Structures are given as C-alpha cells and as structure tokens.
Amino acid sequence: MKTNQLPTETAANRSKWPLSRFGLEVNNPRWWFEIICIALVYFAVSWLVAKIIVSNVKAPSPVWPGAGFNVGFLLVWGRSRWLGIFLGTLYLNLHRNWLEVLAPSLAASAGSTIGSLITVSLILQFTRTKYPFNQVHHVVIFALCSIFSGTIFQTVAGITAYIVTERYVWENFFNRLFLPWWIGDSVGVLIFAPLVLTWLRSHQHTPIKSWINWEVLTALTSLVFVGYLSLYDSQPLEYLLLPPLLWSAFRFGAKLTTLLIMLVSMTASVATAYRFGVFYKAITQGDSLLLLQIFMSVIAMTTMITLAIVEENRKANMGLQRANADLEQRVLDRTSDLRQSESMALELAAKAEAANQAKSTFIANMSHELRSPLNAVLGFSQMMMRAKNLATEHLESASIINRSGDYLLTLINNILDLSKIEAGKTTLNLQTFDLEHLLDDVEDMFQLRAINAGLNLVFERDPNVPHYIYTDEIKLRQVLINLIGNAIKFTKNGSVLLHVTNINTPINESIYIEDPSNPKLILNFSVSDTGVGIAAEELSELFVSFSQAQAGREKQEGTGLGLAISRRFVQLMGGDISVTSELGKGSTFQFQIHAQLGKELVSGIIDKRRALALAPDQPNYKILVVDDKPVNCQLLVKLLTPMGFEVQEASNGQEAIAIWDRWEPHLIWMDMRMPVMDGYEATKYIKSTVKGNATAVIALTASVLEEEKAIVLSVGCDDFIRKPFREQIIFDALAKHLGVKYIYENIQHHKHEIDFPSEILLTSENLKVMPDSWIMQLYRASLEADKNIVINLIGQIPESETFLVRSLTKLARNYQFEKLIDLTEPLLSTHIE
C-alpha cells in the first residue's frame, strides 16, 4: 500500500504551516483523518482489553495492544501523527477515571506518546526502513527496541504520575506495577505493530488459491484443535501452536500469519482472564503471568524471524533467477557459432552450479541466523540456572526458557539436516568407535523412560557382532534414537526390542580394516514393539518429510522429519530401512548398514561433573573472545570470568590482532563471520607468526556444513566448536588445549566399571554412602518387588556414585529383588523389629 511522502521542511513550508516544527499540520485534512484514526483505534482496543481482561485478572493486562498500534501507526504514517496517540491515551484515562485524575492522566498520556516516539525513532535509526521485517537482523533490532527503549519510559512515566498523585503506592513497585506493565506494553508492540505494518505497508503477497483447500484448512484446524486442548482444556501443549504458525509463514505470507499470531495471543489472554487453559492453571499453582507473556513473545519472535527468512530467500531466488536469465542470454550471444548441444550443456551446468551454490548459501545463512540467537538463549539460561541465589520462580522460568530453546534447536537441526541432505552437503564422518558402548548408552538413555511407561526395554546382540566398527557413529546413534524413541512413544504396554545381527560371515576381530571403499560387514538392526501399529495404507508415506501416521497426528508431537532423516542417513551408510506393521499388534523397523572392523580403542574417562573454579597453583590464563555480536562476547565473558580466567573482547579480526599482539593471550575464541576482517583472515595472520603458533585458536561458528570444519582447520584453527554450545564443551576445550585443571562440584572420585557385570562385585559396604532411612526404604521396596519405587530411590543417589547407580539399576531392570534384599539386610539388623 503506497502512502504520500511528506515534503522536506523549508522556510516556505514553515511559514505556511506555523506549527509544523511540532508536527502539527492543522491545515492538512489527511493529517486530521489519520490523527482521529489513531485516537479511535487506541481507545477502542484499550477499552476492550480493560473490559474483557483487566477487569477479570484484577491486574495489568498481560498484553496491551494499544502500545503496538501506536508504534505501528507511527511507522506507517510518520512520527508527526503523535497527537493521535496523546489524544487516544488521554481520552482513555479520563474515561476510566474522570476529571478527578486529570493531572496523572495528562502525565501518563505524555509518557505513552514520548515512549512511542522513542521506540519508533530508534527502529528507524538502526534499521533505516519503515518496514523492518524483511531481514532477520532488522527483526532482532525491532524486538530489542520494542522491549528496552520506549516501553520502559512510558511505563515509568505512567506509574510515577499515579504514585505522585497517590493513586498508587510505592510498595512492590517493581513486581506488581513496573514489571507487568512494561512486559505487557512490550508484548503488545511485538504482536500488534507487525500486524499494522503488514496490513498497511507490506509488499509481500502470497496468493491463496482458495480458502477452502487442504493446506489452509489443515493449518487452521490444527490451530483450533491445539488451542482448545491447551487454552481451554489446560493440556500443556501450548508450544505445539508454533508449527502451524511456521507453516503459515512459509506458505501463506505475512498478512495471514500476523493475523493468526494476534488471534492466538489474544485467545490465550482472554482464556486466562476467564480462568481457562494451561496458563491459568500455572497461575493457580503459584506461577505468574510471565509464562503467558513469554509464550506470546516466543511465538511472535519465532514466526517473524521465519517470515524474514522466507522473504530473504525469496529475494535471493529472484536475484538468482535474474542472474540465470542474464547468464542464459550471454551464453546464447557468445556461443551462437557453437553446436547446439554444447550450448545446452554449458547452460545446464551453469544452472546446476548456481542452484547448488544457492542451496549452500541458504543453509549457511539459515544456520547462522537461527543458531546464533539460540546460542545466547541457551547460554544465558544455563548461567541463570547456575546462580545459587536465584528465586525459585525465576529459576523455573529460566528452566522453561532453556527447555523451549532446546526443543526449538531440535526442530531447527532437523530442518537443516533435511536441507543439507537435499543440497547434497551431508557426508559420512567415518571413525572407529565402540559399538557395544554406543548400544549401552542408548539403552541407558531410554531405560528410565521405558520403566516409567511400564514397558520392558530389551537390547540383544548376536555373538558375532563385532565390538569395534568403522562407520559414522553420530548418524547411527541418531537413527537408533529416532526409532527407539518412536517405539516407546507409541507403545502403551508390552515391550520394545532392539536386535543387532551380523549377516556377513563370522568375523575375526584380530584383523581390522579401515577402507571406506571395501566394506566387510553388513550389520542388521531390528526395532520391534507391541504398540498401536500402522495402517497398511500409511506405510508408503511413512518416510516422507513432514508426514506422520495417524498415531503421530493423534499424539500432536514431533515434526514428521525423524523417519525421513533416518532413512537418508541409513542410505548414506549403504543400506535402507523397511517396516512391517499390524494395527493393534505392533511394528518392526529394520535397517542394514555397511561397515568395517575397527581396531580396539583405549579411551579415558570423561569427568562430567560441573566445574566450579580453577584449581590452585595454575598460571594466570588470558583468554581473548572475538565476536561481532556483543551478546555472544558477553556470554563467554560471564562464563569464564567467575571461574578465574582473565578475559578481553574484540569485535572483529583487526581488533583481535591488535589485542593479541599487545596482550599475548593463551587462547582465542574466534568467530569466523565478522565485518571489517573475518576470523579466517585474522587466524591466518596470527598463525603465520612464530608467536602466534603458541596461541591456541578455537573457531566458534553457527555453520552446520561439514566442509566448514575442514576449511576452518586449514586456515590454522586448533579446534572447531559449533553454536549453540554447552558450558561443559567450553571448559573441556580449555582443558584440552591449555591443560587447565578445575575444582569440581563434588571432589569424590569413583571408578567407573563398564566392561563387566557390576552387580557381581556389589557388596553391602557400597550402600553405606546412603542414610539408614534410604536403605530401609530400599529394603521394603525390594520385599514388595516394586520396581518403580526402587528406580526412584536409585535416582536419589549422588551422581558421583556411578558404580552404585549402574549396579542397582541393572538389578532392578532384571527384577533381581532377592539380591537387593541380601545386600540391605546386613545393614538393617538393628532396625528391623
């Protein structure tokens, strides 16, 4: 939608419009029309929110749409329409409180007007556009300005005005007044400003052939169904509303998507106000409205970023199409004298290369733009959970943010894995590893989940299955996790069985081979369950991306990518997946991989306890953090400084080189994509010097491409870590490259017993680390043969007692309660009557 541009202010204009320096164009009819529109819209939506939500929750609204409409209208029509905001907010305050509070109403209206102007001015200053939703970094700037600028000012101004006139009191200023008011305004801007901008100014248009088609109906039906379950029936499924919104962003464009975000958010707010839904249930259990506000902010930000990514990709494709058109014309002009067959071959080759390069660029950009913000979300939430003085309510909120970030990272990784496969960028990372240890790890991962579901999880392997094999361990682990996780999810009772066989001739493990071109093993993996089964007509669509069987759709879980990615991984390893199933009786997934024998590995035990500080008597380690994103630098600084490291920052390669030359750090955390000078050039320069060879350089990148690692290592980096990372990975890397030693959370050390049946060596003495009351409970649970209680008691054993945990868990899994009774009885002789 086009709008008239205001003329540049001149002396003649100022004489014609004497109030123009204040933005008052009193002789302009269009200006008056837009002023009245802003005032009426603000009053109408704010009156409705106060009537429907505020009057029911008896507290500030979790979302204030008026703040978003104000910012949106100023971005569309210009900041000179500020008078509409002032009149709308003033009329609302007077309507609610009448003339007895004229002074605070004037002050609050002035605060809202100035706050909206601040927000809009900062958005225009930093994005240089009135529609900041076509690029991901513009969306991030819009969100930061919406939350941390004008909304703070207008909140403080409004509350202060009413406190000065004794309408409010100073008591609980932050928790009861400032925090809900500020977050409500910020959420309102995040949700309603994009709605106004998209419908009044957006040039994006995704035509929908018919509103009665399967895609639109499926998206709307899923939103209504999940919304009913979570926002009315109080089921904790609220974040399953995100996939249909992302679907809308990819398929239906910005206008419909922003409208759906508004409808979902306001439905959640109204349902909570009328005491329905999962958020009202959370409030009754002691949580605040912050969970509802976090939910609305997450769906708004995630969907707007997705819309920006779609627009960036659309523009890139248009540019690629134009480039292809130009290239085709050049080929035709310059090769007119060549044979037609040669011309067509050159044209097709150029197109294929351009398309492949476009896919690679898209994957790299997707990885960087999505994983970099998640690095900050997961990193800072981990640091919040490390704080010992954090309030329980805030600790739970940080935990929710961390879990939601993990879930979002899983979705992103699945989509990026599929994109890498389709772009031909996925390759095998061949290495020798311990197959038995991998199977034990996967079994331990799912055993407690199976026990809690009342299932029997069994892992079997034939005697001729080799101990060490040579193939891609990570992809094999991912396939097993996907298949076993699905089997447990869709099995209500019975068992889940994994059976591994070697279908080649018997193997002599004294001879190992590591030649990818000469496979010597064909291993067969079979995962069977006694679950709900799959209908025959659904089997053909089972491995299609984003497709789910009926049981999966009823569960309302997952993305429909797990089996598709698993099949691609298995095909890369030389095999394929097949499935047999019968409704009501269960399913069996079977796949084969080609591998080779690997030589025996000798690996040390990794200490997984939390590091608290540097051990004494060590050098003063100096660490340089290089990243153009201040939040990423801040994350590493706050993580390393409390541990005892000396840390400095740089925002690009040139600054990094200058600080390195002057300060001589022991190790550099180097981001690879930066302005001015990137991490590749900076690393090359540092490593080209004699002094630089003594400095460890570790690349930190959000790229998921395998070839990126080879490129990074080739320029001189000593190691390669992907964002988002866990704090333990950072500490382990410092220990690996600098020999750093730490003080851990628990200084007791116990031997990890792995390769023999630990329950044989378990004695009553091992149980003395636990209190007598715990031993008595274990004894009684063993007498009653109650496996669930025994497993819960094992969960109370300290993490450092690995040997005891593994031993008791194996006894409980195998229902060997007689052995548990024999172990506990000698310790309870004085307590049993």
mmCIF file of all heavy atoms in Angstrom, residues 4 148 225 234 414 461 611 619 631 634 664 677-678 744:
data_model
loop_
_atom_site.group_PDB
_atom_site.id
_atom_site.type_symbol
_atom_site.label_atom_id
_atom_site.label_comp_id
_atom_site.label_asym_id
_atom_site.label_seq_id
_atom_site.Cartn_x
_atom_site.Cartn_y
_atom_site.Cartn_z
ATOM 1 N N ASN A 4 1.609 8.774 0.798
ATOM 2 C CA ASN A 4 2.223 10.020 0.347
ATOM 3 C C ASN A 4 3.398 10.364 1.228
ATOM 4 O O ASN A 4 3.343 10.270 2.446
ATOM 5 C CB ASN A 4 1.180 11.144 0.400
ATOM 6 C CG ASN A 4 0.058 10.916 -0.597
ATOM 7 O OD1 ASN A 4 0.273 10.311 -1.644
ATOM 8 N ND2 ASN A 4 -1.140 11.373 -0.260
ATOM 9 N N PHE A 148 13.308 -2.680 25.121
ATOM 10 C CA PHE A 148 14.249 -1.998 26.006
ATOM 11 C C PHE A 148 14.374 -0.498 25.732
ATOM 12 O O PHE A 148 15.410 0.085 26.024
ATOM 13 C CB PHE A 148 15.631 -2.649 25.905
ATOM 14 C CG PHE A 148 15.646 -4.082 26.339
ATOM 15 C CD1 PHE A 148 15.834 -5.092 25.412
ATOM 16 C CD2 PHE A 148 15.442 -4.427 27.667
ATOM 17 C CE1 PHE A 148 15.838 -6.423 25.799
ATOM 18 C CE2 PHE A 148 15.450 -5.744 28.060
ATOM 19 C CZ PHE A 148 15.641 -6.745 27.126
ATOM 20 N N PHE A 225 -7.599 -26.958 17.142
ATOM 21 C CA PHE A 225 -7.578 -28.159 17.972
ATOM 22 C C PHE A 225 -6.577 -28.032 19.113
ATOM 23 O O PHE A 225 -6.904 -28.277 20.289
ATOM 24 C CB PHE A 225 -7.244 -29.367 17.101
ATOM 25 C CG PHE A 225 -7.201 -30.669 17.856
ATOM 26 C CD1 PHE A 225 -8.357 -31.258 18.333
ATOM 27 C CD2 PHE A 225 -5.987 -31.299 18.098
ATOM 28 C CE1 PHE A 225 -8.310 -32.443 19.032
ATOM 29 C CE2 PHE A 225 -5.938 -32.499 18.790
ATOM 30 C CZ PHE A 225 -7.091 -33.067 19.260
ATOM 31 N N SER A 234 -6.575 -27.059 29.404
ATOM 32 C CA SER A 234 -5.414 -26.990 30.309
ATOM 33 C C SER A 234 -4.379 -28.070 30.058
ATOM 34 O O SER A 234 -3.630 -28.447 30.952
ATOM 35 C CB SER A 234 -5.880 -27.061 31.783
ATOM 36 O OG SER A 234 -6.758 -26.011 32.080
ATOM 37 N N ASN A 414 16.650 -30.510 12.722
ATOM 38 C CA ASN A 414 16.001 -31.445 11.809
ATOM 39 C C ASN A 414 15.787 -30.826 10.437
ATOM 40 O O ASN A 414 16.045 -31.452 9.402
ATOM 41 C CB ASN A 414 14.653 -31.891 12.386
ATOM 42 C CG ASN A 414 14.805 -32.904 13.499
ATOM 43 O OD1 ASN A 414 15.848 -33.533 13.640
ATOM 44 N ND2 ASN A 414 13.774 -33.056 14.309
ATOM 45 N N ARG A 461 22.114 -58.626 21.128
ATOM 46 C CA ARG A 461 23.081 -58.619 20.034
ATOM 47 C C ARG A 461 23.653 -60.019 19.885
ATOM 48 O O ARG A 461 23.918 -60.713 20.874
ATOM 49 C CB ARG A 461 24.173 -57.597 20.283
ATOM 50 C CG ARG A 461 25.078 -57.863 21.459
ATOM 51 C CD ARG A 461 25.687 -56.609 22.012
ATOM 52 N NE ARG A 461 24.744 -55.869 22.825
ATOM 53 C CZ ARG A 461 25.047 -54.808 23.558
ATOM 54 N NH1 ARG A 461 26.249 -54.347 23.575
ATOM 55 N NH2 ARG A 461 24.134 -54.184 24.251
ATOM 56 N N ALA A 611 32.189 -27.907 36.664
ATOM 57 C CA ALA A 611 33.377 -27.199 37.141
ATOM 58 C C ALA A 611 32.945 -25.931 37.874
ATOM 59 O O ALA A 611 32.069 -25.196 37.409
ATOM 60 C CB ALA A 611 34.296 -26.853 35.980
ATOM 61 N N PRO A 619 48.786 -21.173 36.152
ATOM 62 C CA PRO A 619 49.112 -19.850 35.594
ATOM 63 C C PRO A 619 47.872 -18.961 35.519
ATOM 64 O O PRO A 619 46.738 -19.433 35.607
ATOM 65 C CB PRO A 619 49.623 -20.197 34.176
ATOM 66 C CG PRO A 619 49.971 -21.637 34.221
ATOM 67 C CD PRO A 619 49.085 -22.280 35.233
ATOM 68 N N VAL A 631 26.362 -9.809 22.408
ATOM 69 C CA VAL A 631 25.741 -10.748 23.332
ATOM 70 C C VAL A 631 26.525 -12.053 23.401
ATOM 71 O O VAL A 631 26.611 -12.690 24.468
ATOM 72 C CB VAL A 631 24.271 -11.006 22.899
ATOM 73 C CG1 VAL A 631 24.205 -11.741 21.581
ATOM 74 C CG2 VAL A 631 23.534 -11.780 23.974
ATOM 75 N N GLN A 634 29.548 -11.316 25.534
ATOM 76 C CA GLN A 634 29.123 -11.193 26.925
ATOM 77 C C GLN A 634 28.888 -12.568 27.549
ATOM 78 O O GLN A 634 29.211 -12.787 28.723
ATOM 79 C CB GLN A 634 27.842 -10.357 26.988
ATOM 80 C CG GLN A 634 27.377 -10.041 28.410
ATOM 81 C CD GLN A 634 26.099 -9.237 28.428
ATOM 82 O OE1 GLN A 634 25.448 -9.086 27.415
ATOM 83 N NE2 GLN A 634 25.751 -8.729 29.582
ATOM 84 N N GLU A 664 49.072 -10.861 24.296
ATOM 85 C CA GLU A 664 49.560 -12.234 24.186
ATOM 86 C C GLU A 664 48.702 -13.214 24.994
ATOM 87 O O GLU A 664 49.147 -13.822 25.971
ATOM 88 C CB GLU A 664 51.032 -12.321 24.632
ATOM 89 C CG GLU A 664 51.968 -11.503 23.765
ATOM 90 C CD GLU A 664 53.421 -11.703 24.144
ATOM 91 O OE1 GLU A 664 53.685 -12.530 25.049
ATOM 92 O OE2 GLU A 664 54.284 -11.055 23.537
ATOM 93 N N MET A 677 37.270 -7.426 9.234
ATOM 94 C CA MET A 677 38.154 -8.570 8.944
ATOM 95 C C MET A 677 37.541 -9.795 9.613
ATOM 96 O O MET A 677 37.259 -9.785 10.811
ATOM 97 C CB MET A 677 39.576 -8.330 9.469
ATOM 98 C CG MET A 677 40.500 -9.540 9.252
ATOM 99 S SD MET A 677 42.138 -9.353 10.003
ATOM 100 C CE MET A 677 42.870 -8.174 8.872
ATOM 101 N N ASP A 678 37.321 -10.864 8.828
ATOM 102 C CA ASP A 678 36.668 -12.041 9.396
ATOM 103 C C ASP A 678 37.677 -12.917 10.146
ATOM 104 O O ASP A 678 38.887 -12.630 10.181
ATOM 105 C CB ASP A 678 35.954 -12.853 8.309
ATOM 106 C CG ASP A 678 36.901 -13.338 7.221
ATOM 107 O OD1 ASP A 678 38.110 -13.494 7.495
ATOM 108 O OD2 ASP A 678 36.424 -13.568 6.091
ATOM 109 N N TYR A 744 35.881 -29.230 41.010
ATOM 110 C CA TYR A 744 34.559 -29.662 40.590
ATOM 111 C C TYR A 744 33.562 -29.599 41.735
ATOM 112 O O TYR A 744 33.921 -29.453 42.908
ATOM 113 C CB TYR A 744 34.622 -31.093 40.036
ATOM 114 C CG TYR A 744 35.365 -31.175 38.731
ATOM 115 C CD1 TYR A 744 36.708 -31.554 38.680
ATOM 116 C CD2 TYR A 744 34.727 -30.869 37.530
ATOM 117 C CE1 TYR A 744 37.388 -31.616 37.474
ATOM 118 C CE2 TYR A 744 35.398 -30.938 36.327
ATOM 119 C CZ TYR A 744 36.727 -31.311 36.295
ATOM 120 O OH TYR A 744 37.391 -31.377 35.113
#
